[in-house]
Amino acid sequence: MQSASDIHIEPDEKEVRVRYRIDGILHDAMTLPHQVLDGLVARIKVLSNLKLDEHRLPQDGRFKIEKDGYKISFRVSMLPVFEGEKIVMRLLDETSNRINPRKNGVGRGSFGNCASRNQASERHDFSGQDLPEAEKQQHSILLWIF
């Protein structure tokens, strides 16, 4: 799956397409016969603690797989479509190194103790020389969030 973030299982009229999202782009991985869809949907619903008999409403669930020292969390969305149920699974690697916000410049003193926007503008003049430092703080926050 080479660092896929999502797995999409999409039923068509005669087949089921499996696609991986890698770097934001969906790539076709395989095509399965339509007969396997019911078993595949049932298996993922059981793993995710979803209702097996519900086919008309969207459902969300999750499950984890631990194998060979890896922990992967799956966030599952089942969506009803005309040809059956579409499955979207978001993959989250729980064994990857977590981002430490303190190493990325986000700490207790990064933003001061600003109670309001006016106080922040009084303490920090974001025009001129302070702008590059403000940009560094902003980018470190974005990296920390993602």
Side-chain angles (χ1 to χ4, degrees), residues 95-115:
T95 55
S96 67
N97 294 331
R98 304 264 183 205
I99 295 174
N100 186 346
R102 300 216 189 264
K103 288 183 181 177
N104 292 320
V106 179
R108 291 184 182 177
S110 295
F111 304 103
N113 295 321
C114 299

